[in-house]
Amino acid sequence: MRILVINGPNINMLGIREKNIYGNNDYNSLVEKIKKEASELNCQVDFFQSNIEGEIITSIQKALGVYDGIIINPAAYTHYSIGILDALKSVNIPAIEVHISNIHQREDFRKKSVTAEGCIGQISGLGFEGYTLALRGLINLIRK
């Protein structure tokens, strides 16, 4: 089982940006948490992070035939990227959208996810734990 974890803009700034929203832990600690969970689940995970929309789209397209599932935090692109939505739909790989903060309790423009329509589910507001829950959920759904 191979899962691709994609993170969008500013996720690389975890531990530095808006600690009151995203906490003190950095991006590397997020990656290590997911790797640990994947090891316990006997699953291979690869990571991709970009601040550039087109690179995220390309990583989704390149996942076709390589990965069994995708965990994606499109970050700010969540709210307006038709391109990422179309890429998720085009590859037809089960994907779960994850958000560290609860997007539904934030500014009005953050409450709408354009990209969620291309995913089988969404986890929002559970911090880094959302990624490990997404990993478990995705693996369980794929193995059925």
Side-chain angles (χ1 to χ4, degrees):
M1 177 91 45
R2 289 186 73 187
I3 306 295
L4 177 61
V5 179
I6 300 171
N7 283 292
N10 298 306
I11 301 299
N12 58 310
M13 299 299 288
L14 290 172
I16 297 169
R17 66 181 284 229
E18 299 174 286
K19 292 180 183 183
N20 60 318
I21 296 173
Y22 300 105
N24 294 316
N25 293 318
D26 64 11
Y27 180 70
N28 289 332
S29 62
L30 172 62
V31 168
E32 289 307 313
K33 181 176 182 63
I34 298 167
K35 282 182 180 178
K36 182 175 185 261
E37 187 76 16
S39 176
E40 292 173 11
L41 296 170
N42 196 29
C43 168
Q44 180 183 337
V45 290
D46 293 316
F47 298 87
F48 180 81
Q49 188 281 322
S50 179
N51 298 315
I52 302 169
E53 183 179 22
E55 290 179 356
I56 294 168
I57 292 166
T58 299
S59 73
I60 294 167
Q61 292 173 352
K62 286 182 176 179
L64 185 61
V66 177
Y67 293 97
D68 301 297
I70 295 172
I71 296 169
I72 184 166
N73 181 346
Y77 293 130
T78 299
H79 315 293
Y80 63 89
S81 180
I82 304 302
I84 291 174
L85 169 62
D86 288 347
L88 288 166
K89 286 180 168 183
S90 71
V91 296
N92 198 30
I93 299 170
I96 296 180
E97 183 174 289
V98 174
H99 297 284
I100 296 167
S101 68
N102 185 342
I103 63 172
H104 305 288
Q105 291 182 337
R106 297 190 59 195
E107 304 93 335
D108 284 343
F109 73 90
R110 292 189 198 272
K111 293 178 182 181
K112 170 71 174 148
S113 171
V114 170
T115 53
E117 188 180 324
C119 299
I120 60 172
Q122 181 191 70
I123 298 172
S124 173
L126 300 177
F128 287 9
E129 195 66 31
Y131 287 85
T132 57
L133 291 170
L135 184 61
R136 284 186 176 275
L138 197 52
I139 289 171
N140 287 336
L141 289 169
I142 292 168
R143 288 185 176 156
K144 281 187 176 181

